[in-house]
Amino acid sequence: MSVIKPSLPKGTRDFSPIEMVKRNFIYDTIKTVFRKYGYAEIQTPSFENLSTLTGKYGDEGDKLIFKILNSGDLIDQKLINQFSELANALNEENWTVKKDDDKETVTYVFKGKKEDFFTSIFGFGEFDKSSALYKKSNKELINRVSEKALRYDLTVPFARYVVMHQHEITLPFKRFQVQPVWRADRPQKGRYREFYQCDVDVVGSESLLNEAEFILIYNEALSKLGLKDFTIKINNRKILSGIAEIIGKPDLIIDMTVAIDKLDKIGLDGVSKELLERGFTEQDLEKLRPVILLEGFNEEKLASLKEVLAESETGLKGIEEIEQVFDYVESLIAYGLPLTAKLELDITLARGLNYYTGCIFEVKTNEVAMGSIGGGGRYDDLTGMFGLKGLTGVGVSFGADRIYDVLEELNLFPASAEVGTKVLISNFDETAEKYALPIVQQLRNAGISAELYPSSAKLKKQMAYADAKNIPYVILIGGDEMASGELTLKDMQSGEQKKLTVLGILELLK
Amino acid sequence: MSVIKPSLPKGTRDFSPIEMVKRNFIYDTIKTVFRKYGYAEIQTPSFENLSTLTGKYGDEGDKLIFKILNSGDLIDQKLINQFSELANALNEENWTVKKDDDKETVTYVFKGKKEDFFTSIFGFGEFDKSSALYKKSNKELINRVSEKALRYDLTVPFARYVVMHQHEITLPFKRFQVQPVWRADRPQKGRYREFYQCDVDVVGSESLLNEAEFILIYNEALSKLGLKDFTIKINNRKILSGIAEIIGKPDLIIDMTVAIDKLDKIGLDGVSKELLERGFTEQDLEKLRPVILLEGFNEEKLASLKEVLAESETGLKGIEEIEQVFDYVESLIAYGLPLTAKLELDITLARGLNYYTGCIFEVKTNEVAMGSIGGGGRYDDLTGMFGLKGLTGVGVSFGADRIYDVLEELNLFPASAEVGTKVLISNFDETAEKYALPIVQQLRNAGISAELYPSSAKLKKQMAYADAKNIPYVILIGGDEMASGELTLKDMQSGEQKKLTVLGILELLK
C-alpha cells in the first residue's frame, strides 16, 4: 500500500478535544433552553433523495448541493443509452449513416476534425457550456448517476419529516434539530462546506405567543452563553407589503426590500439609486424615505408606521402582529428576569422574502463586529412543497460557528468548559502503580474524571502530559506517601502542594 | 413546482422525539463514562478525500464507500478525454481511420451492428462486466468524477487525525468519537446505511492498563444502561499465533482462526471439516481440539494453555498479557464496586485478524439473543497507512443501535428518559392566557420545562396534546383559580388533581 500524506477536503475541519468541549458548551446551552420551552429533538438522515432537495433552494442553491454517486458501477447500459441518444440528436453534419442490405449491419462515417470526433459523439459540439443542450444533458447525466444528496439545510428535511410523519405527530409540533449540513460553496474565512445548524421550529400554531417565546429563547440562550449586549431585530413581512402597497407598487415589493436591506452597507444614497434603477420614481422615494429612516423607540416607530400605513389593511395587520408579540414578551417577563436583549423594530430587515410571510427576526451582537448570529421568521406554507397545504409555522436558528467565534473573541468560554480529566495520578514505579490502581477507580466511582499515567515515564513527561491536557490536579505517590497514606495533591495552576488522604482528596475534588 | 410524495433513501431513518431521547440516553451515558476515564471527544468531517479511505477496507469494503460527486458539471473535457482514450484502445476491428490530405480532417468509419456502435465508442465491447478493462475503466471514471467520500468508519479518520495533528497532540492520546458512518450495504433488519459508531481509543501507550480500563469502561457503561447479565470475552492474537505455531502451521493462522471463529454457529464437527479443507491434517486437529474445547474458569484455561503453548514464545507472551490485564482489573476494583460483567477468556474469539496484534475483546448480552454489542482490541500499526510508523494503540467500540434494541426489548429505558416538557398550562381564554403568561416563564426560570398551550383550543384537544407528548403534569387555570390564586395541578398518570399556589407548584415540580 502506497503511503499518502493525509489531508482534509477543503472547507472541512477536524475538531480537537478543546474545540469539542467549547462546541458542546454552545450546543448543550442552546438545547437546554429549547427543551425548557417545550421543544423536542429530532434527527433526520444526512442524505435525502435528490428529488426531495432539488428545486427548493433556487438555481444557485441547487448547484451547491453535494450529490452522492450511486453505488455500484458508474457506467451501465442506461448511461450509455443516455450518451447515445444525445449523440444521435446532434452534429449530424459530420456523420453519414448507411444501412447495409442485410439490415443488421450499419455504417457510420465521421468526417471532420479529429478533436470534433468525440465531442460530436457526446453531442456537445464545441463544448459550448452555455448552450441549453449542454446544460440539459449535464443535468440528466447527473441524475442518472446520482439519486441522493447531502442535506443542504434542516428546513426542507423538517418539512419532509412533518409530511411523512403527519399521522404520528400532534400539532402544534415543536421540534429542534442540531445537525451538520453541507454546501459546495467556495470556502473562505468563516464559511465551511460542512457546518452545524441549530434550528427550532413549531408548525401548526398561528399564535404569536410562539414568536414571543423565540425572542425569550434567544434572550436566554445568548445570555447563558455569556453575551451581554445583543440586539434582536424584528420586522413583519406584512408591513413591507403594506409599504409597497401605499406607494402603489405592490408588485415591486421584492425589489424594494432587496434594496432597503442594503441600507447598512450602501447608505441612503445607494438605496435611493438602486430603487430608481428598480422602477421606483422620485415621488415614490419621497414617500419611502421617512419610513426607511424611521428612528426612535419601538412605540414611536409603530405610531409613525400606523399613520403611514393607515390605508393598507395588510400593513396594519403587520403592525398589530408586532404589537401583540411585544405584549406577549412583556407579560411573559412580568415577574421574571428582564430582557438582556435589545428588542428593535427594524423596517429595513428583509431576509429571504419569498419564504417568510409574517414576523421575521435577526440577531446581532453589539460587542464584536460580526454578521448576524441568528435569524428566522414565520412561513405560511412550508410543507406545501410536499403536498401538505395550509400548515403555518415559525422558527429561528442559531449560527453556532459565528457564536463560537464571538465567544472566543470575548473570552467567554467558562474555564470549566476546558477541563476534561480532573486529576492525574503520577506513576513512579510498579509498586506505586499497584498502590494507585484502586485509588484511580475510587475517584471515578465518586464521579471524578481521573487517569493513572499508564507507565512509569519520567515525571517531567507526566507533568507535561497533565499540562497539555489542562488537567488541574496531579496526585504524586512516592515512598513517603505510601508509608503515611497521605498523598501529595498538586494544584497545577498555583503550583501549591498539599498532603491529603484519599478521602480528603475525594472531598476536595468532588 | 411539482409536488413529490416524500420518502427516505433506503437504509436511512428519521428519529422521532421519543427515539432521540432514548438515543441521547445511550450516548450521554457512554460519553460520561469515557470522560471519567480521561478520554476526550474529537470530531472529524463527514467526508474525507477518497484517497484517504480507499484501500483500507479491502475490496468488499471499498465497494461500500459512498462517493460524493464533484461539484460543478459532470461532463468536462477531462471526462471526455478519458472516454476517448478508452475508445481508441479498443474494438479497432470495427473501425477504419483515414487521415485526409489536408491533415486536418480525419475520417472514421464504423461498420458493424448498430448496438455495437456506442459500446465500441466506450470501449466496453459487449459490456463484459467481468473484463479487466471494464473494471479498470469504471474505476478510473469514478475517480474522475469523485474525489471525496463519506467516512466508512471512525478508525481510519482517527488514524488520519493522529498523523495530521501529531505535533499538537500529547501522547498517550486518549480520544473518543461518537459520529455517524455510512455504508452502501444492502439494508436489512438492524443494518442501516447510516448509523452511529461510538469509538474510544488510546494511541502511544503500550501499557496493558489501557486494556484493563476498557473492560471497566464496558462494565460501567453497560451497567449504567441497565444491563445486568453480559459477558466481556477476551483473547489475544499472540495466543492464536502460538497455537498455529505449535501445530507447525504458522502460515495457516488466518485459516485456523476463521474456522475456529465459527464454533458457535457450526459446532465442532463443522469447524473440523473446515480446518481439514483449509489444509490441516487429522493429527493437527487432535492437537487443536482440546484447545478449542477449553472449558472452566479463566485460571484453569490459562493453566492448560501454558502447558499447550510451553514451546511457543509468542503464545506465552499472549498468556502473560491476558494475566496482566486480569491483574490490573482486580487491583482497580479492589476497594470499589465488583464487576457486573462476566470476564471470559475465549480462545475461539478471532475478530479481523489482519488488524489486531494483541488483546481482543467482544461483548455480548446474555439477556437477549443478539450479536455482539461491542468489541475491539490492540493494533500495533494503525497510523502506518499514513506514514507514521511504530505507534501502538488499543480501542473498543459500542454498538449503539444494537444496545438500543436490547434496552427496548428489556424495557430498560428509564421513564425519565421519556419526559420532555414537564408541565403544560392549559389555555381557556384570553384572560386565562394573560394570567398564565408570567407563570409559564416563572416555571422556566426555575429550570422546569414548561409550555403554555398557544391558543384557547378545546380542553380535550389540549389534554390530548399533553398525552401525546408524555407531559406528566397539566396546570388548569379557570375563573376560580384566578380568583383564589390556587391553581389546579393535574397528575396525568394518576389523574389526581391538587390545588396549589404557583410557589407550591414550583416546589413540587423542581
Side-chain angles (χ1 to χ4, degrees):
Chain A
M1 187 164 38
S2 71
V3 168
I4 312 134
K5 194 168 176 285
S7 64
L8 278 179
K10 63 178 175 178
T12 66
R13 297 165 287 174
D14 281 329
F15 296 114
S16 70
I18 284 188
E19 288 166 326
M20 275 314 297
V21 169
K22 291 177 178 175
R23 292 174 68 84
N24 283 336
F25 168 69
I26 295 175
Y27 299 137
D28 291 346
T29 303
I30 293 175
K31 286 179 178 182
T32 302
V33 175
F34 290 166
R35 289 198 183 97
K36 247 167 69 172
Y37 284 76
Y39 287 84
E41 186 168 15
I42 69 160
Q43 284 189 349
T44 62
S46 299
F47 53 75
E48 295 273 351
N49 290 323
L50 195 49
S51 57
T52 299
L53 303 183
T54 43
K56 311 297 188 300
Y57 307 106
D59 281 351
E60 283 312 301
D62 276 1
K63 280 188 195 153
L64 303 183
I65 295 173
F66 274 116
K67 291 160 198 85
I68 295 171
L69 209 57
N70 294 341
S71 25
D73 293 328
L74 174 62
I75 306 159
D76 60 4
Q77 191 65 53
K78 259 191 186 170
L79 183 74
I80 303 286
N81 291 348
Q82 173 81 12
F83 270 110
S84 82
E85 274 166 40
L86 288 170
N88 278 331
L90 251 207
N91 282 59
E92 291 184 347
E93 71 266 28
N94 285 124
W95 287 91
T96 330
V97 182
K98 207 186 82 188
K99 274 235 159 81
D100 289 7
D101 292 341
D102 61 3
K103 292 199 172 158
E104 290 222 331
T105 317
V106 73
T107 305
Y108 291 94
V109 179
F110 169 87
K111 198 179 156 81
K113 288 188 184 159
K114 193 183 176 195
E115 57 268 36
D116 287 344
F117 174 63
F118 282 103
T119 55
S120 80
I121 294 288
F122 289 100
F124 306 114
E126 295 187 303
F127 282 101
D128 178 0
K129 292 208 169 191
S130 62
S131 75
L133 184 88
Y134 176 81
K135 284 182 182 164
K136 179 174 164 281
S137 312
N138 204 43
K139 218 168 178 177
E140 280 181 21
L141 280 172
I142 287 179
N143 287 341
R144 277 279 153 81
V145 300
S146 165
E147 287 160 355
K148 296 178 290 291
L150 292 174
R151 67 173 161 250
Y152 177 89
D153 70 1
L154 301 178
T155 308
V156 170
F158 174 52
R160 197 244 336 120
Y161 182 99
V162 170
V163 175
M164 270 183 71
H165 300 273
Q166 55 185 292
H167 303 299
E168 301 151 36
I169 62 181
T170 310
L171 297 179
F173 182 56
K174 298 172 82 170
R175 87 85 171 81
F176 73 87
Q177 202 170 345
V178 178
Q179 290 192 278
V181 302
W182 296 268
R183 294 183 186 179
D185 237 326
R186 213 157 49 93
Q188 59 185 58
K189 194 181 173 304
R191 193 204 280 160
Y192 304 99
R193 293 187 145 194
E194 173 176 46
F195 58 97
Y196 272 71
Q197 287 194 334
C198 310
D199 278 20
V200 55
D201 292 80
V202 49
V203 289
S205 165
E206 287 174 5
S207 169
L208 292 159
L209 173 60
N210 300 302
E211 274 86 340
E213 292 197 333
F214 284 129
I215 290 171
L216 293 190
I217 285 175
Y218 270 134
N219 182 62
E220 185 164 339
L222 295 175
S223 304
K224 282 214 169 124
L225 290 171
L227 295 190
K228 273 159 209 74
D229 186 5
F230 55 96
T231 302
I232 303 171
K233 292 182 176 183
I234 183 170
N235 196 7
N236 194 301
R237 199 255 195 253
K238 297 187 179 89
I239 293 180
L240 292 168
S241 296
I243 295 170
E245 212 176 277
I246 55 128
I247 297 175
K249 302 264 165 80
D251 297 345
L252 290 183
I253 173 157
I254 291 184
D255 292 270
M256 184 187 87
T257 49
V258 166
I260 291 180
D261 204 27
K262 296 181 186 162
L263 186 64
D264 269 3
K265 283 183 204 147
I266 58 176
L268 185 63
D269 288 350
V271 171
S272 302
K273 196 166 155 259
E274 189 164 332
L275 285 168
L276 290 172
E277 283 166 12
R278 285 172 177 271
F280 289 85
T281 64
E282 268 300 340
Q283 288 93 310
D284 297 339
L285 289 195
E286 261 165 55
K287 285 189 205 160
L288 254 179
R289 244 174 240 129
V291 182
I292 298 178
L293 296 178
L294 220 52
E295 294 242 330
F297 294 114
N298 293 332
E299 295 73 19
E300 296 170 323
K301 288 184 186 173
L302 285 168
S304 307
L305 278 174
K306 264 186 212 169
E307 282 176 35
V308 176
L309 296 175
E311 304 298 313
S312 162
E313 203 181 319
T314 310
L316 291 176
K317 179 89 177 95
I319 295 172
E320 194 189 309
E321 286 184 7
I322 297 265
E323 285 178 330
Q324 173 77 60
V325 171
F326 286 169
D327 278 355
Y328 270 130
V329 169
E330 244 173 73
S331 298
L332 282 165
I333 62 171
Y335 311 149
L337 307 163
L339 278 187
T340 307
K342 294 190 175 66
L343 191 52
E344 182 193 327
L345 173 63
D346 181 356
I347 297 303
T348 68
L349 176 65
R351 291 188 75 82
L353 261 179
N354 43 341
Y355 188 86
Y356 294 116
T357 50
C359 286
I360 46 184
F361 304 100
E362 200 161 277
V363 186
K364 292 190 79 164
T365 165
N366 304 316
E367 297 176 86
V368 206
M370 176 76 71
S372 74
I373 54 174
R378 180 172 289 271
Y379 37 85
D380 274 350
D381 188 28
L382 180 72
T383 52
M385 60 176 115
F386 298 117
L388 186 63
K389 298 279 175 201
L391 208 52
T392 182
V394 53
V396 299
S397 148
F398 284 74
D401 279 302
R402 284 196 177 162
I403 291 173
Y404 186 101
D405 291 343
V406 170
L407 299 195
E408 196 71 292
E409 195 166 331
L410 297 173
N411 209 7
L412 288 177
F413 284 110
S416 68
E418 286 171 33
V419 172
T421 300
K422 192 144 187 194
V423 58
L424 174 75
I425 306 186
S426 68
N427 189 334
F428 283 117
D429 54 27
E430 219 173 298
T431 321
E433 180 185 276
K434 184 115 191 129
Y435 187 91
L437 285 165
I439 299 173
V440 68
Q441 203 56 26
Q442 274 181 291
L443 288 161
R444 289 169 182 157
N445 288 344
I448 297 159
S449 172
E451 291 180 59
L452 168 59
Y453 197 85
S455 65
S456 52
K458 288 208 174 103
L459 186 60
K460 205 179 148 191
K461 195 174 171 190
Q462 299 189 36
M463 288 306 199
Y465 177 81
D467 265 339
K469 274 188 94 163
N470 269 324
I471 301 177
Y473 295 98
V474 172
I475 296 174
L476 301 161
I477 303 179
D480 289 355
E481 281 83 357
M482 285 186 276
S484 69
E486 293 221 312
L487 316 180
T488 303
L489 181 75
K490 178 168 180 165
D491 181 322
M492 292 294 283
Q493 187 124 52
S494 66
E496 195 193 341
Q497 300 197 168
K498 267 187 215 169
K499 292 262 184 186
L500 285 167
T501 61
V502 175
L503 283 180
I505 292 175
L506 283 172
E507 199 75 1
L508 193 139
L509 297 186
K510 243 189 204 168
Chain B
M1 187 164 40
S2 71
V3 169
I4 313 134
K5 195 170 175 283
S7 64
L8 278 179
K10 62 179 174 177
T12 67
R13 297 165 285 174
D14 282 329
F15 296 114
S16 70
I18 283 188
E19 286 166 327
M20 274 314 296
V21 170
K22 291 177 178 174
R23 291 175 69 85
N24 284 335
F25 167 69
I26 294 175
Y27 298 137
D28 292 345
T29 303
I30 293 175
K31 286 179 178 181
T32 301
V33 175
F34 290 166
R35 290 198 183 98
K36 247 169 66 173
Y37 284 76
Y39 287 85
E41 185 168 17
I42 69 161
Q43 283 189 351
T44 61
S46 299
F47 51 75
E48 297 274 350
N49 290 322
L50 195 49
S51 56
T52 300
L53 303 184
T54 41
K56 311 298 187 299
Y57 307 106
D59 280 351
E60 283 313 301
D62 276 1
K63 279 188 198 154
L64 303 184
I65 295 173
F66 274 115
K67 291 161 196 84
I68 294 171
L69 208 56
N70 293 341
S71 26
D73 292 330
L74 175 62
I75 306 159
D76 60 5
Q77 191 63 53
K78 262 192 185 167
L79 184 74
I80 302 285
N81 292 348
Q82 172 82 11
F83 270 111
S84 81
E85 275 167 39
L86 288 170
N88 278 331
L90 252 206
N91 282 60
E92 291 181 350
E93 71 264 29
N94 285 127
W95 286 91
T96 329
V97 183
K98 206 185 80 187
K99 273 234 159 78
D100 287 7
D101 294 338
D102 61 4
K103 292 195 172 162
E104 290 223 331
T105 317
V106 73
T107 307
Y108 292 92
V109 180
F110 169 88
K111 197 177 156 82
K113 287 188 185 161
K114 194 185 175 193
E115 57 269 36
D116 288 342
F117 175 63
F118 284 103
T119 55
S120 81
I121 294 288
F122 289 101
F124 308 114
E126 293 186 305
F127 283 102
D128 178 1
K129 292 207 171 190
S130 63
S131 77
L133 183 91
Y134 176 81
K135 283 183 182 165
K136 179 175 164 281
S137 312
N138 203 44
K139 217 170 181 175
E140 280 180 23
L141 280 171
I142 286 179
N143 287 342
R144 277 279 154 80
V145 301
S146 165
E147 288 160 355
K148 296 179 291 290
L150 293 175
R151 68 172 162 252
Y152 177 89
D153 69 2
L154 301 177
T155 308
V156 170
F158 174 53
R160 199 251 325 127
Y161 182 98
V162 169
V163 176
M164 272 184 70
H165 300 273
Q166 54 184 293
H167 304 298
E168 301 152 36
I169 62 181
T170 310
L171 297 178
F173 183 56
K174 300 171 80 170
R175 87 86 173 79
F176 73 85
Q177 201 171 344
V178 178
Q179 289 193 278
V181 301
W182 296 269
R183 296 184 184 177
D185 237 328
R186 213 157 49 94
Q188 57 185 59
K189 193 179 176 304
R191 192 203 279 161
Y192 304 99
R193 294 189 142 191
E194 172 176 47
F195 58 97
Y196 271 71
Q197 287 194 334
C198 309
D199 278 21
V200 55
D201 293 79
V202 48
V203 289
S205 166
E206 287 175 3
S207 170
L208 292 160
L209 174 59
N210 300 302
E211 274 87 339
E213 291 196 336
F214 284 129
I215 290 171
L216 292 191
I217 285 175
Y218 270 134
N219 182 62
E220 185 163 338
L222 296 176
S223 304
K224 281 212 171 128
L225 289 171
L227 295 189
K228 272 158 210 77
D229 185 5
F230 54 98
T231 301
I232 304 173
K233 291 182 177 185
I234 182 169
N235 196 6
N236 194 301
R237 199 257 195 250
K238 297 185 179 92
I239 294 180
L240 293 169
S241 296
I243 294 170
E245 214 176 276
I246 54 127
I247 297 176
K249 302 264 166 80
D251 297 344
L252 289 184
I253 173 160
I254 292 185
D255 292 272
M256 183 187 88
T257 49
V258 166
I260 291 180
D261 204 27
K262 296 181 186 161
L263 186 64
D264 268 4
K265 284 183 204 146
I266 58 176
L268 185 63
D269 287 349
V271 172
S272 302
K273 194 165 156 261
E274 190 164 331
L275 285 167
L276 290 172
E277 283 165 12
R278 285 171 176 271
F280 288 85
T281 64
E282 266 301 338
Q283 287 93 313
D284 298 338
L285 289 195
E286 260 165 55
K287 286 190 203 159
L288 253 178
R289 244 175 241 129
V291 181
I292 299 178
L293 295 179
L294 220 52
E295 294 241 331
F297 293 115
N298 293 333
E299 296 73 19
E300 295 169 323
K301 287 184 186 172
L302 285 167
S304 307
L305 277 175
K306 264 185 214 172
E307 282 176 37
V308 176
L309 296 175
E311 304 297 312
S312 163
E313 205 182 319
T314 311
L316 291 176
K317 179 87 177 96
I319 295 172
E320 196 189 309
E321 288 184 8
I322 297 262
E323 284 179 330
Q324 174 76 61
V325 171
F326 285 170
D327 277 357
Y328 270 129
V329 169
E330 244 173 73
S331 297
L332 282 164
I333 62 170
Y335 311 151
L337 307 164
L339 280 187
T340 306
K342 293 189 174 68
L343 190 52
E344 182 192 328
L345 173 63
D346 181 354
I347 297 303
T348 68
L349 176 65
R351 290 188 76 82
L353 260 180
N354 43 341
Y355 187 83
Y356 293 116
T357 50
C359 286
I360 46 182
F361 304 100
E362 201 161 276
V363 186
K364 292 190 78 164
T365 164
N366 305 316
E367 297 175 87
V368 205
M370 175 78 68
S372 74
I373 55 174
R378 181 172 288 271
Y379 36 85
D380 274 349
D381 188 29
L382 180 71
T383 53
M385 61 175 111
F386 297 117
L388 186 63
K389 298 278 175 200
L391 208 53
T392 182
V394 53
V396 299
S397 147
F398 285 76
D401 279 302
R402 283 196 178 161
I403 291 172
Y404 186 101
D405 290 344
V406 171
L407 299 197
E408 196 71 291
E409 194 166 332
L410 296 174
N411 209 8
L412 288 178
F413 285 109
S416 68
E418 284 171 35
V419 173
T421 300
K422 192 143 186 195
V423 58
L424 174 76
I425 307 187
S426 68
N427 190 333
F428 282 117
D429 54 28
E430 221 173 299
T431 321
E433 179 183 275
K434 185 115 191 123
Y435 187 91
L437 285 165
I439 298 172
V440 68
Q441 204 56 26
Q442 274 180 289
L443 288 161
R444 290 169 182 158
N445 288 342
I448 298 159
S449 172
E451 291 180 58
L452 168 61
Y453 197 85
S455 65
S456 52
K458 287 208 174 102
L459 186 61
K460 203 179 151 191
K461 194 175 173 190
Q462 300 188 35
M463 288 307 200
Y465 176 81
D467 265 339
K469 273 189 96 164
N470 269 324
I471 301 176
Y473 295 98
V474 173
I475 297 174
L476 300 160
I477 303 179
D480 289 353
E481 282 83 357
M482 285 186 275
S484 68
E486 294 222 310
L487 315 181
T488 303
L489 181 75
K490 178 168 179 165
D491 180 324
M492 292 295 281
Q493 187 123 53
S494 66
E496 195 194 343
Q497 300 198 168
K498 268 187 214 168
K499 291 262 184 187
L500 285 167
T501 61
V502 174
L503 284 180
I505 291 174
L506 282 172
E507 199 74 2
L508 192 139
L509 296 187
K510 244 188 202 170

